[in-house]
Each structure stands twice: as C-alpha cells, then as structure tokens.
Amino acid sequence: MANLRFYMTPGSCTTGIHILLEECGPVFEVYLVNLMAGDQHSADYRRLNPKGTIPTLVLEDGTALTDFLSISLWLAQAYPQKSLLSDDLITRLKTIEVLNYVVNTIHGQGFTRIFTAEKYSEIPAEQERVQAQGRTLVSEYFMLADEWLEGGGYLFGQFSIADAALFYTEFWAKHIGLPLPSRCQEHYRLMLTRASVDQVMTEEGYGKMLSEIRR
Ligand SMILES: N[C@@H](CCC(=O)N[C@@H](CS)C(=O)NCC(=O)O)C(=O)O
C-alpha cells in the first residue's frame, strides 16, 4: 500500500497538519511546495488540488484531501486511539466550530490580509492599509479564542485538532510581533511542550529559534 503523501510548506498553515501527522504516527512522504516560486500553480499540483492551496494530503487509495478541516477530520477518524476529537457529539461539533473559525476567520480573514495584501490591492499604499487592517482584525479575533481558553490548558480539556490549528496562528502572531492575549500566550507555550510540536518546529527549520519562540 502506498504511503500518505503530504504537501506542505515550512512555517505555513501546514505546520498544524504536520503536528497532527506526528501525533498520529503514520509513515508519510513529504513534498515541499515552494509558494514563493509558485509551485502551487503548477499543472501537476493543480491536478491534485485545483484550488492551488496547501495543505494537501493524498491518502493510500489516491484520494486527495485539500484543506485543513478535511485532513484533520480524516486523521482524527483514522487514528481514534489518539483522541484528537471528542466522542461526545456536542464537544465534537464545538471543536469543529473553533477549528473552522481559526482556519477561515483568524487565518482566512486576518492573516491572509497581512501575508498576501497584494491579493486585496495592486496599489502599494493600499496594501499597507490592508496589512494594518489585518493586524487589527487578527487582534480582535484572538480575543474570542482567548475567551474559549477560559479554563486554561487546551481548548476542550485535552489536545484536539483545534489546538493544532490555533497553534499555527499563534506562531504566526509571535513571528510578526503581534502580542497574543494572555490565555492564547499560555496555550502557545503549552503547545510548545508537546514532543510533536518540538519535532515539527525543528524539522521545519525553527530549531535554532526554539528558545526564542518559547517566549
Ligand atoms: N481554507 C484553506 C486555506 C489554505 C491556505 O490558504 N493556505 C495558504 C498557505 S498558509 C496557501 O495555500 N496559499 C497559496 C497562495 O497564496 O497562493 C485550508 O483550510 O486549507
């Protein structure tokens, strides 16, 4: 049977899926997608993922899953012993709600403005405004995540697919010097204590920075 094939870019949203893959432990092959070079637009990649986005996970039977939600739900189902998603229906649904918010709102509405302002305007002065708006939005969006972390620790008592998603956005905030609200900061630190996160950050080239990024 073929291995899983994981299409990723270090330091991108695929970091969250990379963490979940390490938590689950399957053998998988890594394919680096160089976004700056435009690999995501190549004909070969578009055949797998017509949206031209990462992550993509190709399953053993050749099925390509092409977004964070579907891949993380597949991993949670395929490795039930890892308890990445609660057995309780309402907690499951709430986990999916939060994950969706992180990926589509914090990332999709907020960070996308900061990292890809050129998609919003071709005019440099306007791009600066779009980035500033992105920073304001991300700060607002994190306030809601901070409320969800009221009890401290992980979002839903134990580590879940939503924590992996929240982590990559927290890492981005730290990376661009955007202050995290206190509970998100604690959640970020907690995530950095996990062996899978340590391994992934090292493999993705942030090993030398680990002491710095723990702050
Ligand atoms: N909703 C998508 C978002 C994925 C996404 O936007 N990924 C970014 C990288 S973090 C990307 O592929 N960008 C490609 C581009 O900007 O051309 C998902 O859940 O996977």
Side-chain angles (χ1 to χ4, degrees):
M1 199 182 259
N3 290 333
L4 296 174
R5 287 186 281 143
F6 176 42
Y7 292 78
M8 52 93 68
T9 303
S12 76
C13 55
T14 59
T15 297
I17 296 297
H18 195 177
I19 290 167
L20 294 173
L21 280 163
E22 293 302 343
E23 292 278 344
C24 294
V27 175
F28 60 96
E29 293 167 13
V30 168
Y31 293 81
L32 292 178
V33 180
N34 184 338
L35 295 181
M36 302 302 271
D39 291 356
Q40 69 277 30
H41 305 305
S42 72
D44 280 351
Y45 190 72
R46 291 263 176 173
R47 263 191 291 279
L48 279 181
N49 179 348
K51 293 176 286 187
T53 56
I54 48 164
T56 295
L57 185 71
V58 181
L59 307 183
E60 288 99 336
D61 70 355
T63 303
L65 299 177
T66 63
D67 74 1
F68 199 107
L69 186 58
S70 61
I71 296 171
S72 58
L73 286 175
W74 182 82
L75 287 168
Q77 293 260 93
Y79 299 90
Q81 68 279 18
K82 300 295 175 185
S83 303
L84 295 174
L85 196 53
S86 172
D87 290 333
D88 173 70
L89 176 63
I90 296 302
T91 312
R92 277 176 97 84
L93 298 174
K94 284 288 163 192
T95 305
I96 292 168
E97 264 186 24
V98 169
L99 195 153
N100 198 32
Y101 181 81
V102 172
V103 171
N104 290 316
T105 303
I106 301 182
H107 171 182
Q109 300 289 330
F111 279 108
T112 302
R113 283 183 161 76
I114 300 171
F115 293 143
T116 53
E118 72 283 357
K119 288 191 175 160
Y120 293 82
S121 173
E122 289 168 1
I123 303 161
E126 282 185 17
Q127 288 171 5
E128 275 179 40
R129 190 187 53 76
V130 168
Q131 285 179 324
Q133 184 194 31
R135 291 177 85 92
T136 304
L137 288 173
V138 167
S139 300
E140 280 172 24
Y141 297 151
F142 270 124
M143 293 314 290
L144 199 48
D146 207 57
E147 281 180 34
W148 293 330
L149 287 163
E150 194 181 5
Y154 294 110
L155 283 157
F156 294 95
Q158 66 182 57
F159 175 76
S160 75
I161 54 176
D163 293 289
L166 184 57
F167 173 77
Y168 83 73
T169 59
E170 289 167 340
F171 173 65
W172 283 350
K174 302 292 287 185
H175 204 59
I176 62 168
L178 201 67
L180 285 173
S182 61
R183 293 188 200 113
C184 290
Q185 171 69 23
E186 285 313 306
H187 177 264
Y188 172 73
R189 286 224 183 95
L190 177 63
M191 286 292 295
L192 285 167
T193 65
R194 295 187 77 82
S196 62
V197 177
D198 196 84
Q199 180 184 338
V200 165
M201 296 316 278
T202 303
E203 284 178 4
E204 294 199 3
Y206 299 95
K208 286 201 184 117
M209 291 167 58
L210 270 177
S211 56
E212 204 177 303
I213 66 178
R214 280 184 210 285
R215 277 189 237 129

